[in-house]
């Protein structure tokens, strides 16, 4: 059965010109009964279940349990807590809920700023590099370096640079340029938010640059030429041609950047360790600490489930709003 | 046809779920066996300058064990930062090593998970008996009144290391013995970009060690007799404030130390930037940093007044590494043989000498090596004036939340904000509220 399947697929692929053409060469016997497409999808489906669905279901199950170190070894036997973990999590007057709310607010502000700056920098650089000039290739490659570097190595380097007494950042800002009265703390205290934002934008904007650059390739040059003949300046060309044409690309880009940034764990963890300063206590690290540092896996799971729901709602609304415009346009 | 498809997908899903739960967590209640008597897996903690150094140190010893018993030991040296999570994962899945090292302060927390083999009298007899070990080290091997969950392997204690040249330059003749003397001495040393004392303000465990000892000196335990968190007692507040005040009020700790977490204070010490550090067995690190043994001296860590001793004169926590057997082991007899080998007099001498620690096995301490002045101070501290961290199931959480509270207070002090009784109490209250209720 497994031997015949690829042959059948090959034949089908060769003959297929459109959806109707495939109907002529259906596989025989049992395979037809089960449905070849489903059979071919099965490995992916099984992996999807194993890698995504099962952990989600397990996480939801755990969120209803009192899961501490006492039940780690046999967590199926942990006492059922019902919605208690959730009520603790959303009780914003009590310490656990209040800390989560604080962390959520920090994460929202961080995400808006980081995604906004990544998009702005990426788009500006991509538009700028549309013009041909000497060294454009080198510049393009250079811009992609942060994206190509392993996250851990890059962020740990930033952590060194942000050290107060021996770091490069203070060396430049304080020692060389004299912009600050005394060396600044970047890894503890209120400035941690700025440090986190800088690293996040540095790491994220090349992706925006790459995607926008790809999007720009699809805009016909003659549109710009026609606009130029009509007297449109550079700014008008960007507003009237570039941005509207990039809209579908930007929709995906902003969504992906939003999800990545909101959930970013590596950057704060490598920068600050397992207990981030309050000003940079992103929700991912907050949940990690609730689960793994205080060993309260039930509450940690409840927080994760709520986060998942929030991201699903936001993503759903975003897709609804952005697709509505497109559907109207299609009609 | 649709029904057949649905059934096929359903069956596949169900089989996967079953496969995952049976090999994953949820039902690993095994109690050890001897199914695999020829091999052992051993997770060692990182004790030397690097993971590679540890492998080089341990490899010949493991070969020796293999020669004696025919059991091959598969070694993995696990970095400190990963160890606790690795153990938690192994506990949940039931797929852990046979023998592993743990930080001794985690003993009761890990004991509560039920993943570690309890060491009752009979089991202890297989490695030569409980009496071979130092009492203070055994007190850090599990909750009081229960069979220990581990066996002490390397012991350490805090001492005050001082830079002889910096002391001489400032005209100071002897190391301080009390906190008042330390502050007074510190003020003479803290000038011209140099500082008196090093701290690791962002290292949660180190913070805990320091404030726990000061807590002992102020009569506070951080846990009450029932094992419930008691972080906001007057003694606990006084202890935390006294430690952070070394930077905030006394100004003998450099503000930059607030973000230290990677032993940077030892580098500052070796570079003559800081005159003193409170550390456990630092000689090997100083040597690695290029300091010769005659450049530094060692004295007992300070107390509030008088000489170090038990109770409110404790001047160190019982630091060290324990060795545990994973309850799910497939080579129970072999694991016990391996623990016996590692805690034998001969191996204790070799390993503790290499790592600069003290053998928790009393009979191994007779070796002249452990009579060096610095190790003698540590040995005496361990024997007379070191207190074990609370052996309660929530100890690991305590390290995180109170360690973070101290980190936040250091950050405030470094940023020029006032550290008051109220701000200390507020941080400790927040920490206590984060502790699990049961």
């Amino acid at each position: 059965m497994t031997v015949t399947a690829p042959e059948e697929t090959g034949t089908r692929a060769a003959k297929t010109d459109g959806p109707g053409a495939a109907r002529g060469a259906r596989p025989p016997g049992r395979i037809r009964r089960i449905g070849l497409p489903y059979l071919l999808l099965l490995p992916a489906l099984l992996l999807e279940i194993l890698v995504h669905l099962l952990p989600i279901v397990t996480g939801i199950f755990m969120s209803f349990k009192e899961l501490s170190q006492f039940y780690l070894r046999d967590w199926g036997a942990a006492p059922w807590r019902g919605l208690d973990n959730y009520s603790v999590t959303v009780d914003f007057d009590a310490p656990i809920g209040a800390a989560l709310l604080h962390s959520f607010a920090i994460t929202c502000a961080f995400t808006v700023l980081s995604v906004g700056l990544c998009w702005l920098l990426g788009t500006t650089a991509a538009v700028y590099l549309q013009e041909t000039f000497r060294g454009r290739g080198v510049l393009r490659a250079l811009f992609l370096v942060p994206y190509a570097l392993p996250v851990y190595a890059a962020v740990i380097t930033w952590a060194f640079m942000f050290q107060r007494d021996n770091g490069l950042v203070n060396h430049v800002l304080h020692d060389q340029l004299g912009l600050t009265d005394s060396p600044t703390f970047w890894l503890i205290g209120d400035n941690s938010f700025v440090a986190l934002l800088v690293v996040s934008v540095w790491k994220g904007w090349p992706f925006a640059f790459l995607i926008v650059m790809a999007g720009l390739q699809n805009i016909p040059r003659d549109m710009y030429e026609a606009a130029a003949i009509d007297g449109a300046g550079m700014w008008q060309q960007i507003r009237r041609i570039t941005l509207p044409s990039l809209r579908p690309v930007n929709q995906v880009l902003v969504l992906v950047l939003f999800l990545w940034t909101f959930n970013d764990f590596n950057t704060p963890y490598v920068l600050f360790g397992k207990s981030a300063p309050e000003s940079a206590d992103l929700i991912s690290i907050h949940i990690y600490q609730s689960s793994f540092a205080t060993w309260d896996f039930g509450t940690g799971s409840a927080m994760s489930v709520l986060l998942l729901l929030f991201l699903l709602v936001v993503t759903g609304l975003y897709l609804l709003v952005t697709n509505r415009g497109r559907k109207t346009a299609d009609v | 046809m649709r029904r057949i498809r649905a059934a096929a997908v359903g069956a596949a899903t169900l089989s996967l779920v079953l496969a995952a739960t049976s090999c994953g967590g949820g039902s690993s209640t095994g109690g050890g066996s001897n199914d695999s008597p020829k091999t052992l897996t051993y997770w060692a903690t990182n004790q030397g300058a690097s993971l590679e150094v540890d492998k080089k140190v341990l490899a010949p010893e493991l070969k020796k064990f293999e020669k004696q018993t025919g059991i091959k030991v598969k070694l993995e040296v696990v970095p400190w930062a990963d160890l606790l999570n690795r153990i938690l994962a192994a506990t949940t899945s039931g797929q852990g090593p046979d023998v592993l090292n743990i930080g001794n302060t985690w003993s009761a927390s890990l004991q509560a998970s039920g993943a570690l083999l309890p060491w009752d009298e009979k089991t202890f007899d297989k490695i030569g008996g409980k009496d071979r070990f130092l009492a203070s080290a055994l007190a850090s091997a599990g909750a009081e009144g229960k069979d220990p969950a581990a066996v002490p392997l390397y012991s350490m204690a805090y001492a005050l290391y001082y830079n002889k040249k910096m002391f001489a330059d400032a005209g100071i003749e002897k190391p301080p013995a009390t906190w008042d003397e330390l502050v007074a001495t510190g003020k003479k040393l803290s000038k011209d970009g140099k500082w008196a004392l090093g701290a690791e303000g962002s290292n949660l465990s180190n913070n805990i060690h320091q404030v726990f000892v000061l807590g002992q000196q102020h009569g506070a335990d951080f846990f009450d007799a029932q094992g419930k968190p008691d972080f906001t007692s007057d003694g606990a507040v006084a202890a935390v404030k006294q430690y952070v005040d070394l930077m905030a009020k006394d100004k003998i700790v450099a503000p930059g130390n607030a973000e230290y977490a990677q032993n940077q204070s030892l580098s500052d010490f070796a570079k003559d930037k800081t005159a003193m550090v409170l550390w456990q067995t630092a000689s090997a690190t100083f040597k690695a940093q290029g300091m010769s043994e005659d450049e530094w001296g060692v004295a007992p860590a300070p107390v509030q007044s008088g000489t170090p001793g038990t109770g409110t004169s404790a001047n160190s926590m019982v630091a060290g590494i324990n060795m545990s057997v994973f309850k799910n082991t497939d080579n129970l007899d072999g694991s016990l043989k391996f623990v016996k080998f590692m805690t034998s007099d001969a191996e204790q001498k070799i390993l503790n000498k290499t790592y600069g620690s003290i053998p928790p096995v009393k009979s191994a301490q007779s070796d002249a090596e452990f009579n060096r002045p610095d190790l003698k101070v540590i040995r005496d501290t361990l024997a007379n004036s070191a207190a074990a961290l609370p052996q309660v199931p929530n100890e690991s959480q305590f390290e995180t939340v109170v360690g973070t509270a101290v980190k936040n207070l250091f950050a405030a002090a470094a940023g020029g904000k006032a550290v008051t009784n109220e701000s200390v109490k507020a941080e400790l209250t927040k920490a206590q509220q984060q502790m699990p209720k049961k």
Side-chain angles (χ1 to χ4, degrees):
Chain A
M1 190 167 99
T2 44
V3 179
T4 50
E7 282 176 11
E8 292 293 342
T9 332
T11 330
R12 268 180 79 173
K15 285 182 182 173
T16 302
D17 284 318
R23 293 192 177 273
R26 294 192 70 121
R30 286 178 62 191
I31 295 176
R32 189 171 59 195
R33 269 212 315 275
I34 297 171
L36 185 62
Y38 290 95
L39 198 68
L40 294 175
L41 276 174
L42 198 63
L45 182 74
L46 290 181
L47 275 176
E48 185 63 22
I49 289 168
L50 194 69
V51 176
H52 283 134
L53 268 179
L54 262 182
I56 291 176
V57 172
T58 314
I60 294 172
F61 179 67
M62 278 163 62
S63 71
F64 295 109
K65 292 256 181 179
E66 183 198 316
L67 199 52
S68 61
Q69 67 263 46
F70 300 102
Y71 302 102
L72 267 184
R73 193 157 171 263
D74 190 7
W75 55 265
W80 192 255
R81 285 197 73 184
L83 289 173
D84 281 7
N85 288 331
Y86 287 92
S87 54
V88 166
T89 303
V90 296
D91 181 1
F92 299 130
D93 291 329
I96 292 177
L100 183 71
L101 189 65
H102 168 82
S103 170
F104 179 73
I106 294 275
T107 312
C108 286
F110 168 74
T111 307
V112 168
L113 283 170
S114 176
V115 172
L117 286 169
C118 282
W119 180 83
L120 197 66
L121 273 174
T123 306
T124 311
V127 168
Y128 178 64
L129 288 194
Q130 276 300 96
E131 304 297 325
T132 38
F133 58 88
R134 254 180 94 137
R136 185 172 75 149
V138 178
L139 222 50
R140 275 183 175 177
L142 267 180
F143 283 177
L144 289 176
V145 166
Y147 188 56
L149 281 177
V151 178
Y152 187 88
V155 180
I156 201 95
T157 309
W158 274 106
F160 289 141
M161 294 202 298
F162 273 126
Q163 279 181 7
R164 177 183 182 262
D165 293 337
N166 308 309
L168 183 72
V169 174
N170 275 350
H171 181 63
V172 173
L173 292 182
H174 179 70
D175 303 344
Q176 292 188 327
L177 302 176
L179 292 176
T180 50
D181 293 337
S182 59
T184 314
F185 281 105
W186 296 104
L187 299 173
I188 54 172
D190 294 343
N191 294 327
S192 312
F193 184 83
V194 179
L196 186 63
L197 190 63
V198 167
V199 180
S200 174
V201 171
W202 176 84
K203 201 162 63 74
W205 81 268
F207 178 71
F209 167 67
L210 194 70
I211 298 295
V212 173
M213 201 163 64
L216 287 174
Q217 313 287 327
N218 289 331
I219 306 175
R221 302 300 303 164
D222 44 4
M223 280 174 78
Y224 289 102
E225 283 158 17
I229 291 168
D230 286 345
M234 195 186 102
W235 180 236
Q236 264 189 323
Q237 286 180 20
I238 289 175
R239 261 190 64 202
R240 306 274 179 193
I241 303 172
T242 312
L243 288 180
S245 309
L246 281 178
R247 205 174 152 207
V249 169
N250 275 333
Q251 282 171 359
V252 178
L253 173 65
V254 169
L255 182 65
V256 170
L257 278 179
F258 164 76
L259 289 174
W260 283 355
T261 312
F262 206 94
N263 280 322
D264 189 8
F265 177 79
N266 294 333
T267 315
Y269 188 79
V270 179
L271 216 47
F272 307 119
K274 66 179 177 180
S275 93
E278 276 180 17
S279 67
D281 187 24
L282 291 194
I283 203 143
S284 55
I285 207 130
H286 190 84
I287 292 177
Y288 169 81
Q289 195 173 12
S290 301
S291 304
F292 290 91
T294 51
W295 294 12
D296 190 356
F297 295 93
T299 311
S301 302
M303 289 178 184
S304 301
V305 171
L306 291 177
L307 178 68
L308 179 72
L309 287 176
F310 169 76
L311 290 176
L312 277 176
V313 169
V314 172
T315 308
L317 281 176
Y318 178 84
L319 289 176
L320 205 70
V321 170
T322 49
N323 279 341
R324 189 183 290 157
R326 193 190 297 170
K327 269 181 197 151
T328 322
D330 287 348
V331 171
Chain B
M1 186 146 109
R2 189 172 291 166
R3 207 175 285 168
I4 297 172
R5 273 180 213 161
V9 173
T13 313
L14 191 66
S15 62
L16 257 175
V17 172
L18 289 176
T21 47
S22 60
C23 70
S27 57
S28 46
T29 48
S33 69
N34 284 307
D35 294 347
S36 168
K38 286 286 154 206
T39 54
L40 274 180
T41 309
Y42 173 43
W43 284 0
T45 47
N46 179 201
Q47 293 298 118
S50 69
L51 303 186
E52 288 310 311
V53 168
D54 282 320
K55 284 180 199 161
K56 273 187 197 147
V57 170
L58 292 169
E61 309 311 313
L62 302 183
K63 270 265 167 275
K64 244 187 259 175
F65 176 70
E66 189 181 347
K67 226 173 173 180
Q68 281 177 21
T69 59
I71 300 172
K72 190 173 167 49
V73 181
K74 282 186 259 173
L75 169 72
E76 191 180 343
V77 184
V78 186
W80 273 108
D82 300 338
L83 186 62
L84 199 53
N85 280 349
R86 290 282 298 273
I87 299 174
L88 291 183
T91 305
T92 317
S93 67
Q95 311 292 312
D98 298 286
V99 184
L100 71 163
N101 287 1
I102 60 173
N104 68 349
T105 61
W106 306 336
S107 297
S109 293
L110 292 173
Q111 183 179 37
S113 74
L116 307 179
L117 185 82
W119 285 80
D120 54 20
E121 292 291 339
K122 231 173 87 187
T123 319
F124 255 117
D125 285 344
K126 290 188 182 165
I127 62 164
K130 215 173 186 174
D131 297 340
R132 293 184 65 234
F133 297 89
L134 212 66
S136 61
L138 268 183
S140 285
E144 214 181 313
K146 284 190 179 170
D147 289 327
V151 170
L153 185 65
Y154 314 126
S155 282
M156 292 163 236
Y158 276 85
L160 181 75
Y161 292 84
Y162 60 95
N163 183 315
K164 285 183 180 169
K165 185 176 173 293
M166 287 178 78
F167 266 49
D169 289 349
I172 301 161
E173 285 171 2
K174 64 179 178 60
T178 66
W179 286 107
D180 285 345
E181 284 174 27
L182 184 127
V183 172
T185 306
K187 285 184 174 163
K188 287 185 206 162
L189 288 157
S190 301
K191 56 185 177 193
D192 308 328
K194 306 207 173 201
W195 294 85
L197 185 69
E200 297 271 326
S202 289
N203 180 332
L204 309 189
S205 298
N206 189 288
N207 285 344
I208 284 299
H209 298 167
Q210 308 288 356
V211 299
F212 166 73
V213 173
L214 279 164
Q216 291 284 301
Q217 296 180 8
H218 287 279
D221 261 335
F222 288 93
F223 284 90
D224 66 15
Q226 283 77 44
K228 294 221 168 85
D230 182 19
F231 301 164
T232 54
S233 68
D234 291 348
V237 172
V240 172
K241 184 161 188 298
Q242 187 181 356
Y243 186 51
V244 181
D245 266 349
L246 294 171
M247 178 191 286
K249 189 174 109 227
D250 307 323
K251 305 207 183 295
I252 61 169
V253 174
N257 285 204
E259 66 174 22
Y260 282 8
Q262 312 285 339
N263 303 351
Q264 294 97 319
S265 57
L266 295 186
S267 308
D268 286 355
F269 183 87
K271 286 180 199 150
D272 295 348
K273 281 159 92 177
T274 307
M276 293 178 277
V277 280
L278 283 163
W279 210 263
Q280 21 173 331
T281 48
S283 55
T285 315
F286 292 154
K287 198 173 169 188
Q289 302 255 5
M291 259 188 135
S292 66
E293 276 187 26
D294 54 356
E295 286 180 273
W296 49 269
V298 66
V303 287
Q304 302 298 341
S305 65
T307 49
T310 47
T312 52
S313 289
N315 65 342
S316 173
M317 42 83 71
V318 179
I321 308 300
N322 288 348
M323 200 171 193
S324 283
V325 174
F326 218 65
K327 219 188 221 169
N328 279 22
T329 175
D330 290 330
N331 189 358
L332 184 61
D333 291 346
S335 298
L336 293 177
K337 274 184 203 161
F338 184 52
V339 177
K340 185 179 181 183
F341 171 80
M342 292 290 275
T343 54
S344 67
D345 284 10
E347 285 307 307
Q348 279 285 295
K349 283 178 193 170
I350 295 172
L351 292 170
N352 281 288
K353 256 185 228 177
T354 314
Y355 289 134
S357 48
I358 305 281
V361 172
K362 288 182 260 182
S363 45
Q365 289 188 355
S366 57
D367 195 285
E369 174 74 15
F370 305 114
N371 267 327
R372 276 179 11 209
D374 60 318
L375 289 185
K376 192 177 173 310
V377 169
I378 289 167
R379 238 177 67 190
D380 290 347
T381 302
L382 271 174
N384 306 320
S385 57
L389 272 157
Q391 292 292 308
V392 293
N394 289 334
E395 197 282 334
S396 165
Q397 292 96 319
F398 157 67
E399 283 194 29
T400 305
V401 297
V402 175
T404 301
V406 178
K407 175 182 170 177
N408 291 343
L409 288 163
F410 265 125
K417 289 181 193 153
V419 173
T420 61
N421 275 329
E422 288 70 36
S423 68
V424 172
K425 193 158 187 168
E427 279 291 343
L428 289 174
T429 307
K430 208 165 70 189
Q432 179 151 329
Q433 286 165 337
Q434 284 178 283
M435 290 292 281
K437 294 286 166 282
K438 287 183 182 171

